[in-house]
Amino acid sequence: MFLSFILTFKREVFFMWTRAQLKTRGKAAFLRNYWICVVAALILTLLIGNGTSASGNSGNDSQNSTTSISEFSASSGHLNVESFAERLTPLGPIKFVFTVFSGIVLLVIGLAFILIRIFVLAPFEVGGARFFLENSMQKAGLGTMLFGFQNGYYGKTVWTLFLKNLYIFLWSLLLLIPGIVKSYEYYMVPYLLADYPEISTEDAFRISREMMNGEKWNTFVLDLSFIGWKILSSISYGLVGFFYANPYEYATDAELFLVLKQNYFASRSYNNTYHTL
């Protein structure tokens, strides 16, 4: 009879979430604190990026601009530095020096971007997660975005997210699919750091894997359900994303974490009780 009670308790505690429920709750939390959420999401999108069509279009525009400049340089002799160097000296030492110097400059710029991503932008990712988690319960202040710098665990936050991105990158080298699977396996790492800043790096990865066990496909479909908003964002040059879709999606992801956290701790409590029978 007691076992029957425990099984009934398990069914009541576990929350079988649906996309509609999470999105409704995320939308309500976001609209309750609209302008602050818009600014927070804008900061996250500009600094971290969330795969929106707007950011993708910006990358394409930059690539197209670079291509156009290169083509124009190639067709205009007076703008082509390499041609100018070759005409100036038949042996081309200036061309060699220019090429080496350009490579060094690009390498330094690339390393600078990587260091900024690791040491500056990663804590903002945790701060953004903290903001939307708090905003689910009450109106959060924009200062919460600095949580990753202020909680006394800055070094561990940087190290954990560096490992997360490194693992996903290495798995992506095998094939695209393993990289995607790992990205969803570690989906909750920033939220765990935001909710439990004292958590160890090992526990953050382990608990994220356990929380996402059986939920990776559902989470992928949840992300896919925002594709219509991403298309509208692309059509509107990012305006729909900035003023509605991006904060809506961030708020929904926070609701997903809260549900999976509830189920995770409920399962641990159930398993511990069950094994003591």
Side-chain angles (χ1 to χ4, degrees):
M1 184 174 179
F2 185 67
L3 178 58
S4 176
F5 168 78
I6 292 297
L7 293 176
T8 303
F9 173 77
K10 178 177 182 289
R11 287 196 298 267
E12 290 177 352
V13 169
F14 277 71
F15 183 76
M16 304 303 295
W17 62 274
T18 65
R19 293 189 302 276
Q21 289 171 330
L22 293 188
K23 294 174 81 170
T24 298
R25 288 159 56 179
K27 185 192 299 183
F30 145 56
L31 294 177
R32 187 173 61 243
N33 195 18
Y34 178 77
W35 284 110
I36 299 299
C37 287
V38 166
V39 175
L42 178 60
I43 293 173
L44 285 176
T45 302
L46 292 178
L47 295 182
I48 309 299
N50 65 343
T52 60
S53 299
S55 61
N57 287 340
S58 298
N60 292 336
D61 292 342
S62 300
Q63 183 178 0
N64 292 337
S65 299
T66 303
T67 303
S68 300
I69 293 174
S70 300
E71 292 175 351
F72 184 74
S73 298
S75 61
S76 305
H78 64 285
L79 290 179
N80 194 317
V81 179
E82 294 183 0
S83 296
F84 176 78
E86 288 178 346
R87 290 200 304 269
L88 190 65
T89 55
L91 297 179
I94 295 180
K95 176 183 177 181
F96 173 77
V97 172
F98 175 79
T99 301
V100 173
F101 178 76
S102 299
I104 294 174
V105 169
L106 291 176
L107 179 62
V108 171
I109 292 176
L111 289 175
F113 274 112
I114 292 174
L115 293 176
I116 291 173
R117 176 69 179 89
I118 294 173
F119 293 102
V120 179
L121 303 188
F124 270 109
E125 185 176 355
V126 173
R130 178 77 177 196
F131 172 86
F132 281 100
L133 288 177
E134 288 190 4
N135 195 70
S136 175
M137 310 299 178
Q138 59 187 0
K139 290 185 177 181
L142 196 59
T144 309
M145 296 287 294
L146 299 176
F147 178 80
F149 298 93
Q150 298 172 336
N151 60 21
Y153 297 95
Y154 170 79
K156 185 183 64 181
T157 296
V158 168
W159 174 245
T160 303
L161 291 187
F162 168 75
L163 290 179
K164 169 181 174 283
N165 293 326
L166 178 63
Y167 292 159
I168 293 173
F169 170 74
L170 293 177
W171 278 99
S172 300
L173 293 179
L174 299 178
L175 281 174
L176 179 62
I177 299 300
I180 295 176
V181 172
K182 285 297 175 181
S183 68
Y184 279 97
E185 192 171 283
Y186 302 142
Y187 202 92
M188 296 302 168
V189 169
Y191 290 94
L192 288 166
L193 293 173
D195 206 20
Y196 304 100
E198 70 281 358
I199 193 173
S200 68
T201 298
E202 295 77 11
D203 285 341
F205 283 106
R206 177 182 58 81
I207 294 176
S208 179
R209 286 194 299 268
E210 293 174 358
M211 289 176 67
M212 295 302 293
N213 185 29
E215 300 287 0
K216 289 187 282 292
W217 174 253
N218 294 329
T219 304
F220 172 76
V221 175
L222 176 64
D223 288 342
L224 201 61
S225 68
F226 285 93
I227 189 67
W229 288 110
K230 295 181 188 297
I231 294 174
L232 288 176
S233 179
S234 177
I235 294 174
S236 64
Y237 298 98
L239 294 178
V240 171
F242 290 150
F243 289 105
Y244 193 87
N246 293 344
Y248 179 21
E249 186 172 3
Y250 284 123
T252 302
D253 285 343
E255 296 296 333
L256 173 64
F257 170 77
L258 292 173
V259 169
L260 295 186
K261 182 181 76 168
Q262 172 186 324
N263 289 348
Y264 173 76
F265 286 110
S267 66
R268 286 173 60 86
S269 175
Y270 166 76
N271 288 332
N272 291 338
T273 304
Y274 179 82
H275 287 302
T276 59
L277 294 179

